[in-house]
Amino acid sequence: MPDLPHGRAWRNRSGFDQTAANPYILSMQKLIICLFCLLLFTPTYAKNISGENYPRFQTALNLWLDGEDLKAVKQLGTLAKEDNTAA
């Protein structure tokens, strides 16, 4: 720690040594870097759901996206009763 001309160590207003690294901040930095690397290098996989390419399911999905909720829910309900996993 550098000494000032009058012999006291350099400290900030709160009285902590400015040259010492805070172990909490260092551990948080390491954690953030590890999480970033984990997210960056983890492959993402999207599984296809059986029935998602079925034309009646696509029609119901388009109805729902167009704001025709009641019609879409009825069609999705019918497809679900027919064991369509996507519905």
Side-chain angles (χ1 to χ4, degrees):
M1 182 165 21
D3 288 331
L4 295 177
H6 43 60
R8 293 187 356 202
W10 176 258
R11 296 185 185 277
N12 61 12
R13 289 182 185 162
S14 61
F16 292 108
D17 181 8
Q18 283 188 320
T19 59
N22 186 343
Y24 175 74
I25 291 177
L26 291 176
S27 63
M28 289 304 295
Q29 286 175 343
K30 290 178 185 177
L31 177 67
I32 290 170
I33 290 170
C34 289
L35 288 175
F36 176 74
C37 289
L38 181 69
L39 291 174
L40 183 66
F41 297 115
T42 303
T44 56
Y45 296 103
K47 293 183 178 182
N48 290 335
I49 301 173
S50 64
E52 70 180 345
N53 293 326
Y54 193 58
R56 287 177 50 204
F57 176 75
Q58 292 296 321
T59 303
L61 184 63
N62 288 332
L63 282 172
W64 177 54
L65 293 174
D66 290 337
E68 298 289 334
D69 295 342
L70 186 59
K71 291 179 185 177
V73 168
K74 286 181 181 179
Q75 285 189 4
L76 289 171
T78 303
L79 291 170
K81 288 178 186 175
E82 296 172 359
D83 291 329
N84 185 322
T85 308

XYZ file of all heavy atoms in Angstrom:
689
model
N 0.848 -1.166 0.000
C 0.000 0.000 0.000
C 0.900 1.237 0.000
O 1.812 1.321 0.817
C -0.891 -0.055 1.247
C -1.836 1.052 1.337
S -3.189 0.858 2.536
C -2.680 -0.331 3.686
N 0.684 2.178 -0.892
C 1.560 3.360 -0.938
C 1.373 4.237 0.291
O 0.275 4.371 0.819
C 1.112 4.085 -2.206
C -0.270 3.625 -2.460
C -0.367 2.237 -1.899
N 2.469 4.783 0.735
C 2.408 5.678 1.897
C 2.317 7.116 1.423
O 2.916 7.509 0.434
C 3.657 5.523 2.765
C 3.658 4.210 3.511
O 2.540 3.710 3.798
O 4.738 3.688 3.793
N 1.539 7.873 2.143
C 1.444 9.299 1.866
C 2.605 10.000 2.562
O 3.246 9.448 3.459
C 0.105 9.835 2.372
C -1.122 9.267 1.652
C -2.389 9.800 2.282
C -1.083 9.619 0.181
N 2.894 11.231 2.178
C 4.048 11.940 2.761
C 4.003 12.021 4.282
O 5.034 12.005 4.925
C 3.965 13.325 2.128
C 3.144 13.164 0.905
C 2.253 11.998 1.137
N 2.817 12.057 4.880
C 2.748 12.193 6.335
C 2.708 10.840 7.037
O 2.452 10.750 8.223
C 1.554 13.056 6.761
C 0.291 12.760 6.012
N -0.302 11.543 6.024
C -0.464 13.545 5.194
C -1.400 11.579 5.267
N -1.510 12.794 4.757
N 2.934 9.728 6.301
C 3.103 8.425 6.909
C 1.831 7.582 7.010
O 1.895 6.451 7.464
N 0.684 8.110 6.628
C -0.549 7.316 6.696
C -0.785 6.603 5.376
O -0.386 7.080 4.331
C -1.738 8.220 7.014
C -1.657 8.793 8.408
C -2.853 9.562 8.848
N -3.889 9.745 7.847
C -4.790 10.704 7.889
N -4.772 11.564 8.864
N -5.707 10.809 6.970
N -1.449 5.461 5.424
C -1.761 4.705 4.214
C -2.910 5.387 3.470
O -3.753 6.049 4.077
C -2.145 3.279 4.575
N -2.918 5.218 2.171
C -3.976 5.802 1.349
C -5.265 5.025 1.545
O -5.344 3.838 1.347
C -3.556 5.764 -0.112
C -4.615 6.261 -1.045
C -5.437 5.505 -1.804
C -4.973 7.606 -1.286
N -6.284 6.289 -2.524
C -6.020 7.615 -2.219
C -4.527 8.834 -0.811
C -6.612 8.769 -2.685
C -5.116 9.969 -1.293
C -6.146 9.939 -2.200
N -6.316 5.707 1.961
C -7.626 5.080 2.145
C -8.685 5.999 1.561
O -8.523 7.217 1.518
C -7.919 4.835 3.619
C -6.967 3.847 4.242
C -7.365 3.530 5.676
N -6.399 2.690 6.307
C -6.349 1.374 6.191
N -7.240 0.754 5.453
N -5.439 0.672 6.804
N -9.792 5.376 1.119
C -10.873 6.202 0.584
C -11.724 6.734 1.728
O -11.434 6.505 2.905
C -11.697 5.422 -0.449
C -12.357 4.198 0.141
O -12.396 4.032 1.350
N -12.878 3.345 -0.718
N -12.788 7.450 1.438
C -13.601 8.115 2.459
C -14.215 7.142 3.471
O -14.422 7.484 4.606
C -14.718 8.908 1.808
C -14.234 10.116 1.092
C -15.384 10.892 0.516
N -14.885 11.998 -0.275
C -15.587 12.641 -1.159
N -16.843 12.302 -1.380
N -15.056 13.629 -1.834
N -14.549 5.920 3.011
C -15.173 4.968 3.923
C -14.151 4.264 4.808
O -14.519 3.500 5.685
C -15.979 3.938 3.135
O -15.115 3.227 2.278
N -12.865 4.522 4.596
C -11.842 3.953 5.447
C -11.284 2.638 4.931
O -10.459 2.025 5.596
N -11.713 2.196 3.754
C -11.211 0.943 3.215
C -9.990 1.197 2.348
O -9.882 2.219 1.679
C -12.285 0.228 2.387
C -13.433 -0.265 3.213
C -14.665 0.353 3.145
C -13.273 -1.335 4.079
C -15.727 -0.096 3.907
C -14.318 -1.792 4.845
C -15.549 -1.165 4.771
N -9.101 0.251 2.355
C -7.888 0.328 1.552
C -8.262 0.228 0.075
O -8.905 -0.722 -0.333
C -6.952 -0.805 1.960
C -5.652 -0.787 1.192
O -5.419 0.189 0.458
O -4.881 -1.740 1.345
N -7.883 1.193 -0.716
C -8.237 1.192 -2.131
C -7.418 0.201 -2.935
O -7.823 -0.203 -4.007
C -8.048 2.577 -2.731
C -9.152 3.533 -2.366
C -9.036 4.830 -3.118
O -7.948 5.340 -3.301
N -10.153 5.358 -3.553
N -6.273 -0.213 -2.449
C -5.444 -1.125 -3.225
C -5.855 -2.581 -3.032
O -5.512 -3.425 -3.842
C -3.964 -0.964 -2.830
O -3.829 -1.243 -1.434
C -3.489 0.438 -3.133
N -6.586 -2.892 -1.982
C -7.010 -4.269 -1.739
C -8.249 -4.585 -2.567
O -9.147 -3.772 -2.689
C -7.304 -4.469 -0.253
N -8.286 -5.786 -3.143
C -9.433 -6.207 -3.935
C -10.491 -6.791 -3.004
O -10.173 -7.540 -2.082
C -9.010 -7.235 -4.958
N -11.722 -6.453 -3.250
C -12.824 -6.973 -2.453
C -13.085 -8.417 -2.874
O -13.426 -8.671 -4.031
C -14.061 -6.094 -2.692
C -15.211 -6.457 -1.799
O -15.248 -7.539 -1.214
N -16.164 -5.558 -1.697
N -12.973 -9.402 -1.961
C -13.160 -10.808 -2.351
C -14.577 -11.100 -2.847
O -14.775 -11.964 -3.692
C -12.844 -11.593 -1.093
C -12.712 -10.617 -0.001
C -12.591 -9.258 -0.593
N -15.567 -10.386 -2.343
C -16.946 -10.594 -2.792
C -17.083 -10.205 -4.259
O -17.673 -10.927 -5.051
C -17.909 -9.784 -1.928
C -19.334 -9.842 -2.408
C -20.101 -10.987 -2.213
C -19.911 -8.771 -3.074
C -21.402 -11.055 -2.661
C -21.212 -8.818 -3.526
C -21.954 -9.958 -3.308
O -23.241 -10.028 -3.751
N -16.516 -9.068 -4.634
C -16.606 -8.607 -6.013
C -15.839 -9.553 -6.934
O -16.302 -9.879 -8.022
C -16.103 -7.156 -6.138
C -17.082 -6.224 -5.434
C -15.932 -6.762 -7.596
C -16.677 -4.784 -5.421
N -14.684 -10.024 -6.488
C -13.920 -10.961 -7.312
C -14.678 -12.257 -7.527
O -14.704 -12.800 -8.628
C -12.564 -11.243 -6.664
C -11.570 -10.089 -6.661
C -10.314 -10.481 -5.915
C -11.241 -9.665 -8.073
N -15.333 -12.758 -6.488
C -16.084 -14.006 -6.639
C -17.304 -13.794 -7.539
O -17.666 -14.673 -8.316
C -16.504 -14.567 -5.286
O -17.373 -13.673 -4.632
N -17.947 -12.629 -7.452
C -19.086 -12.342 -8.315
C -18.634 -12.213 -9.766
O -19.325 -12.653 -10.677
C -19.807 -11.069 -7.862
C -20.572 -11.227 -6.572
S -21.782 -12.552 -6.602
C -22.912 -11.959 -7.822
N -17.486 -11.624 -9.997
C -16.967 -11.512 -11.350
C -16.702 -12.893 -11.939
O -17.038 -13.164 -13.089
C -15.678 -10.687 -11.373
C -15.896 -9.213 -11.179
C -14.593 -8.447 -11.079
O -13.529 -9.028 -10.842
N -14.667 -7.131 -11.244
N -16.114 -13.773 -11.136
C -15.856 -15.137 -11.598
C -17.159 -15.863 -11.891
O -17.265 -16.586 -12.882
C -15.045 -15.907 -10.559
C -13.624 -15.438 -10.434
C -12.900 -16.195 -9.355
C -11.508 -15.653 -9.140
N -10.824 -16.331 -8.040
N -18.159 -15.677 -11.045
C -19.452 -16.329 -11.250
C -20.110 -15.837 -12.541
O -20.629 -16.637 -13.326
C -20.374 -16.063 -10.056
C -21.784 -16.615 -10.164
C -21.756 -18.134 -10.138
C -22.652 -16.074 -9.043
N -20.084 -14.546 -12.780
C -20.691 -13.982 -13.986
C -19.971 -14.486 -15.230
O -20.609 -14.849 -16.223
C -20.702 -12.440 -13.919
C -21.712 -11.987 -12.861
C -21.022 -11.826 -15.268
C -21.648 -10.524 -12.540
N -18.660 -14.565 -15.190
C -17.897 -15.067 -16.331
C -18.220 -16.536 -16.583
O -18.424 -16.952 -17.731
C -16.384 -14.856 -16.111
C -16.061 -13.363 -16.185
C -15.562 -15.641 -17.126
C -14.666 -13.004 -15.763
N -18.321 -17.335 -15.521
C -18.660 -18.759 -15.677
C -20.062 -18.933 -16.249
O -20.282 -19.772 -17.127
C -18.537 -19.477 -14.344
S -16.834 -19.682 -13.807
N -21.022 -18.164 -15.759
C -22.384 -18.266 -16.280
C -22.454 -17.837 -17.743
O -23.162 -18.459 -18.540
C -23.340 -17.423 -15.433
C -23.647 -17.963 -14.046
C -24.495 -16.972 -13.267
C -24.324 -19.307 -14.132
N -21.733 -16.802 -18.096
C -21.705 -16.352 -19.478
C -21.131 -17.437 -20.387
O -21.682 -17.727 -21.445
C -20.892 -15.059 -19.610
C -20.739 -14.593 -21.026
C -21.802 -14.015 -21.691
C -19.537 -14.752 -21.691
C -21.668 -13.592 -23.001
C -19.393 -14.337 -22.997
C -20.464 -13.753 -23.651
N -20.031 -18.058 -19.960
C -19.422 -19.125 -20.758
C -20.356 -20.323 -20.860
O -20.459 -20.958 -21.911
C -18.092 -19.546 -20.154
S -16.803 -18.301 -20.348
N -21.045 -20.635 -19.778
C -21.984 -21.747 -19.800
C -23.109 -21.504 -20.793
O -23.458 -22.377 -21.579
C -22.555 -21.965 -18.396
C -23.544 -23.105 -18.250
C -22.832 -24.435 -18.428
C -24.207 -23.039 -16.889
N -23.654 -20.292 -20.787
C -24.722 -19.959 -21.727
C -24.217 -19.869 -23.158
O -24.916 -20.231 -24.094
C -25.385 -18.646 -21.321
C -26.211 -18.696 -20.046
C -26.684 -17.295 -19.686
C -27.379 -19.633 -20.192
N -23.016 -19.381 -23.318
C -22.462 -19.192 -24.650
C -22.155 -20.519 -25.330
O -22.408 -20.684 -26.521
C -21.196 -18.339 -24.579
C -20.522 -17.991 -25.892
C -21.430 -17.096 -26.715
C -19.203 -17.302 -25.625
N -21.635 -21.477 -24.570
C -21.171 -22.721 -25.167
C -22.142 -23.884 -24.996
O -21.822 -24.998 -25.355
C -19.807 -23.088 -24.596
C -18.756 -22.060 -24.925
C -18.163 -21.317 -23.928
C -18.392 -21.811 -26.239
C -17.211 -20.367 -24.223
C -17.443 -20.866 -26.546
C -16.850 -20.137 -25.542
N -23.310 -23.644 -24.450
C -24.309 -24.698 -24.316
C -25.163 -24.726 -25.574
O -25.790 -23.735 -25.916
C -25.210 -24.445 -23.089
O -24.388 -24.344 -21.933
C -26.214 -25.561 -22.922
N -25.183 -25.856 -26.262
C -26.016 -25.914 -27.475
C -27.495 -25.925 -27.109
O -27.894 -26.464 -26.075
C -25.607 -27.229 -28.134
C -25.048 -28.048 -27.026
C -24.477 -27.088 -26.026
N -28.268 -25.313 -27.940
C -29.709 -25.306 -27.714
C -30.363 -26.229 -28.719
O -30.035 -26.221 -29.900
C -30.289 -23.886 -27.866
O -29.945 -23.388 -29.145
C -29.743 -22.968 -26.794
N -31.265 -27.016 -28.221
C -31.964 -27.969 -29.066
C -33.456 -27.699 -28.991
O -33.999 -27.492 -27.918
C -31.691 -29.405 -28.611
C -30.251 -29.810 -28.738
C -29.421 -29.857 -27.629
C -29.714 -30.129 -29.976
C -28.101 -30.223 -27.742
C -28.397 -30.504 -30.108
C -27.585 -30.552 -28.984
O -26.284 -30.909 -29.103
N -34.095 -27.724 -30.121
C -35.548 -27.590 -30.173
C -36.098 -28.909 -30.687
O -35.739 -29.365 -31.774
C -35.956 -26.450 -31.087
N -36.931 -29.513 -29.884
C -37.515 -30.789 -30.289
C -38.792 -30.526 -31.074
O -39.554 -29.632 -30.758
C -37.836 -31.636 -29.068
C -36.616 -32.091 -28.314
C -37.008 -32.979 -27.163
C -35.794 -33.465 -26.436
N -36.146 -34.359 -25.339
N -38.991 -31.332 -32.078
C -40.245 -31.261 -32.825
C -41.309 -32.010 -32.048
O -41.076 -33.113 -31.555
C -40.082 -31.880 -34.215
C -39.205 -31.044 -35.114
O -39.099 -29.846 -34.915
N -38.586 -31.657 -36.088
N -42.451 -31.417 -31.940
C -43.570 -32.038 -31.241
C -44.424 -32.741 -32.277
O -44.757 -32.161 -33.315
C -44.397 -30.982 -30.488
C -43.514 -30.254 -29.486
C -45.587 -31.611 -29.796
C -44.181 -29.086 -28.825
N -44.771 -33.977 -31.971
C -45.582 -34.707 -32.940
C -46.934 -34.022 -33.088
O -47.582 -33.668 -32.115
C -45.768 -36.156 -32.496
O -46.485 -36.201 -31.288
N -47.329 -33.801 -34.314
C -48.608 -33.167 -34.608
C -48.530 -31.693 -34.910
O -49.519 -31.079 -35.288
N -47.344 -31.091 -34.763
C -47.245 -29.654 -35.014
C -47.324 -29.317 -36.497
O -47.654 -28.199 -36.857
C -45.970 -29.080 -34.406
C -44.694 -29.509 -35.087
C -43.464 -28.911 -34.451
O -43.606 -27.952 -33.681
O -42.371 -29.405 -34.725
N -47.018 -30.264 -37.367
C -47.094 -30.024 -38.810
C -48.417 -30.490 -39.409
O -48.601 -30.423 -40.615
C -45.921 -30.704 -39.526
C -44.602 -30.067 -39.152
O -44.530 -28.868 -38.919
N -43.565 -30.875 -39.061
N -49.297 -30.939 -38.578
C -50.615 -31.398 -39.012
C -51.405 -30.191 -39.520
O -51.455 -29.156 -38.851
C -51.301 -32.060 -37.818
C -52.535 -32.859 -38.133
C -52.490 -33.918 -39.016
C -53.745 -32.566 -37.523
C -53.612 -34.664 -39.285
C -54.879 -33.292 -37.783
C -54.807 -34.346 -38.672
O -55.922 -35.075 -38.943
N -52.012 -30.273 -40.709
C -52.678 -29.097 -41.300
C -53.784 -28.514 -40.412
O -53.931 -27.284 -40.342
C -53.250 -29.611 -42.611
C -52.475 -30.821 -42.940
C -52.017 -31.398 -41.641
N -54.546 -29.366 -39.738
C -55.619 -28.835 -38.884
C -55.045 -28.080 -37.685
O -55.626 -27.090 -37.233
C -56.519 -29.982 -38.417
C -57.395 -30.503 -39.556
C -58.249 -31.683 -39.173
N -58.995 -31.498 -37.950
C -59.430 -32.508 -37.183
N -59.202 -33.748 -37.534
N -60.108 -32.259 -36.093
N -53.896 -28.534 -37.177
C -53.248 -27.802 -36.082
C -52.748 -26.448 -36.575
O -52.884 -25.440 -35.882
C -52.090 -28.620 -35.494
C -51.329 -27.873 -34.445
C -51.856 -27.698 -33.171
C -50.094 -27.310 -34.726
C -51.161 -26.989 -32.200
C -49.395 -26.603 -33.766
C -49.933 -26.449 -32.497
N -52.152 -26.413 -37.762
C -51.671 -25.148 -38.328
C -52.814 -24.167 -38.551
O -52.670 -22.965 -38.316
C -50.914 -25.403 -39.634
C -49.599 -26.129 -39.457
C -48.608 -25.312 -38.649
O -48.514 -24.088 -38.791
N -47.862 -25.988 -37.787
N -53.962 -24.690 -38.981
C -55.141 -23.839 -39.171
C -55.595 -23.247 -37.848
O -55.875 -22.043 -37.745
C -56.291 -24.639 -39.811
O -55.842 -25.189 -41.043
C -57.506 -23.767 -40.056
N -55.646 -24.088 -36.807
C -56.046 -23.607 -35.477
C -55.046 -22.584 -34.951
O -55.427 -21.572 -34.343
C -56.178 -24.779 -34.519
N -53.777 -22.825 -35.186
C -52.739 -21.899 -34.737
C -52.869 -20.551 -35.439
O -52.780 -19.495 -34.805
C -51.365 -22.510 -34.993
C -50.158 -21.730 -34.510
C -50.177 -21.597 -32.996
C -48.879 -22.381 -34.978
N -53.124 -20.585 -36.740
C -53.301 -19.335 -37.495
C -54.550 -18.581 -37.045
O -54.543 -17.345 -36.974
C -53.344 -19.615 -38.991
C -51.980 -19.989 -39.532
O -50.962 -19.581 -38.990
N -51.968 -20.781 -40.593
N -55.616 -19.312 -36.742
C -56.824 -18.657 -36.221
C -56.519 -17.950 -34.903
O -56.959 -16.831 -34.658
C -57.941 -19.687 -36.014
C -58.685 -20.143 -37.261
C -59.607 -21.305 -36.919
C -59.480 -18.991 -37.847
N -55.785 -18.636 -34.044
C -55.446 -18.059 -32.737
C -54.593 -16.801 -32.906
O -54.828 -15.785 -32.251
C -54.725 -19.106 -31.903
C -54.261 -18.608 -30.576
C -55.009 -18.007 -29.609
C -52.922 -18.644 -30.089
N -54.214 -17.682 -28.531
C -52.935 -18.072 -28.807
C -51.730 -19.129 -30.604
C -51.787 -17.967 -28.039
C -50.594 -19.029 -29.821
C -50.628 -18.441 -28.563
N -53.616 -16.865 -33.815
C -52.752 -15.704 -34.038
C -53.489 -14.552 -34.713
O -53.098 -13.396 -34.564
C -51.527 -16.108 -34.865
C -50.552 -17.062 -34.167
C -49.464 -17.504 -35.136
C -49.957 -16.414 -32.939
N -54.546 -14.870 -35.447
C -55.352 -13.831 -36.095
C -56.408 -13.237 -35.173
O -57.164 -12.351 -35.569
C -56.031 -14.388 -37.348
C -55.033 -14.659 -38.463
O -53.950 -14.044 -38.452
O -55.353 -15.483 -39.346
N -56.496 -13.727 -33.946
C -57.438 -13.166 -32.981
C -58.760 -13.905 -32.892
O -59.648 -13.478 -32.160
N -58.901 -14.980 -33.605
C -60.120 -15.778 -33.555
C -59.972 -16.833 -32.452
O -59.892 -18.036 -32.715
C -60.363 -16.455 -34.911
C -60.565 -15.500 -36.057
C -61.898 -14.783 -35.975
O -62.842 -15.316 -35.372
O -61.984 -13.667 -36.522
N -59.954 -16.374 -31.205
C -59.641 -17.257 -30.081
C -60.661 -18.370 -29.886
O -60.289 -19.529 -29.660
C -59.516 -16.442 -28.792
C -58.342 -15.483 -28.822
O -57.447 -15.690 -29.662
O -58.326 -14.544 -28.003
N -61.927 -18.057 -29.964
C -62.955 -19.057 -29.698
C -62.898 -20.194 -30.712
O -62.924 -21.378 -30.340
C -64.343 -18.406 -29.706
C -65.508 -19.308 -29.309
C -65.301 -19.859 -27.905
C -66.814 -18.550 -29.393
N -62.778 -19.858 -31.991
C -62.673 -20.890 -33.024
C -61.401 -21.722 -32.834
O -61.417 -22.943 -32.986
C -62.669 -20.259 -34.413
C -63.978 -19.640 -34.822
C -63.855 -19.020 -36.202
C -65.135 -18.286 -36.596
N -64.990 -17.634 -37.912
N -60.320 -21.043 -32.513
C -59.044 -21.740 -32.344
C -59.092 -22.698 -31.164
O -58.632 -23.838 -31.263
C -57.917 -20.727 -32.159
N -59.669 -22.260 -30.042
C -59.742 -23.116 -28.859
C -60.612 -24.337 -29.132
O -60.292 -25.451 -28.703
C -60.246 -22.313 -27.637
C -60.603 -23.229 -26.489
C -59.206 -21.302 -27.213
N -61.690 -24.152 -29.864
C -62.553 -25.292 -30.213
C -61.798 -26.301 -31.071
O -61.857 -27.501 -30.824
C -63.806 -24.810 -30.935
C -64.807 -24.136 -30.027
C -66.038 -23.691 -30.798
C -67.037 -22.989 -29.892
N -68.225 -22.543 -30.629
N -61.064 -25.817 -32.070
C -60.303 -26.724 -32.929
C -59.171 -27.402 -32.155
O -58.909 -28.590 -32.330
C -59.750 -25.988 -34.144
C -60.793 -25.687 -35.180
C -60.179 -25.144 -36.459
O -58.968 -25.062 -36.611
N -61.036 -24.770 -37.395
N -58.491 -26.630 -31.305
C -57.411 -27.220 -30.506
C -57.960 -28.263 -29.534
O -57.325 -29.288 -29.282
C -56.638 -26.129 -29.757
C -55.759 -25.234 -30.619
C -55.224 -24.070 -29.798
C -54.615 -26.023 -31.239
N -59.128 -28.009 -28.986
C -59.761 -28.978 -28.102
C -60.098 -30.272 -28.828
O -59.883 -31.367 -28.305
N -60.617 -30.139 -30.031
C -60.930 -31.324 -30.838
C -59.657 -32.107 -31.154
O -59.619 -33.335 -31.037
C -61.629 -30.906 -32.145
O -62.795 -30.154 -31.832
C -62.008 -32.117 -32.970
N -58.602 -31.390 -31.527
C -57.329 -32.056 -31.831
C -56.741 -32.725 -30.591
O -56.160 -33.813 -30.675
C -56.333 -31.054 -32.420
C -56.649 -30.540 -33.817
C -55.722 -29.390 -34.176
C -56.520 -31.663 -34.827
N -56.889 -32.089 -29.450
C -56.369 -32.678 -28.208
C -57.122 -33.956 -27.856
O -56.522 -34.923 -27.383
C -56.464 -31.669 -27.071
N -58.427 -33.977 -28.100
C -59.212 -35.198 -27.850
C -58.791 -36.322 -28.791
O -58.936 -37.490 -28.460
C -60.701 -34.912 -27.997
C -61.271 -34.086 -26.866
C -62.730 -33.787 -27.095
C -63.238 -32.824 -26.024
N -64.631 -32.420 -26.280
N -58.260 -35.955 -29.961
C -57.770 -36.933 -30.929
C -56.309 -37.303 -30.675
O -55.643 -37.878 -31.530
C -57.921 -36.387 -32.354
C -59.365 -36.150 -32.767
C -59.489 -35.427 -34.100
O -58.444 -35.090 -34.706
O -60.620 -35.181 -34.515
N -55.795 -36.955 -29.499
C -54.419 -37.252 -29.057
C -53.339 -36.551 -29.873
O -52.250 -37.087 -30.095
C -54.157 -38.763 -29.062
C -54.956 -39.471 -27.992
O -55.207 -38.846 -26.942
O -55.329 -40.641 -28.202
N -53.609 -35.332 -30.328
C -52.592 -34.523 -30.973
C -51.781 -33.858 -29.864
O -52.278 -33.016 -29.125
C -53.234 -33.480 -31.892
C -52.209 -32.706 -32.681
O -51.154 -32.386 -32.180
N -52.542 -32.419 -33.920
N -50.522 -34.244 -29.736
C -49.665 -33.748 -28.647
C -49.450 -32.249 -28.733
O -49.381 -31.558 -27.720
C -48.310 -34.463 -28.684
O -48.527 -35.871 -28.709
C -47.472 -34.120 -27.478
N -49.325 -31.728 -29.919
C -49.080 -30.296 -30.105
C -50.263 -29.455 -29.637
O -50.092 -28.352 -29.141
C -48.772 -29.993 -31.561
N -51.467 -30.002 -29.805
C -52.656 -29.249 -29.405
C -52.736 -29.194 -27.893
O -53.195 -28.252 -27.308
C -53.910 -29.900 -29.980
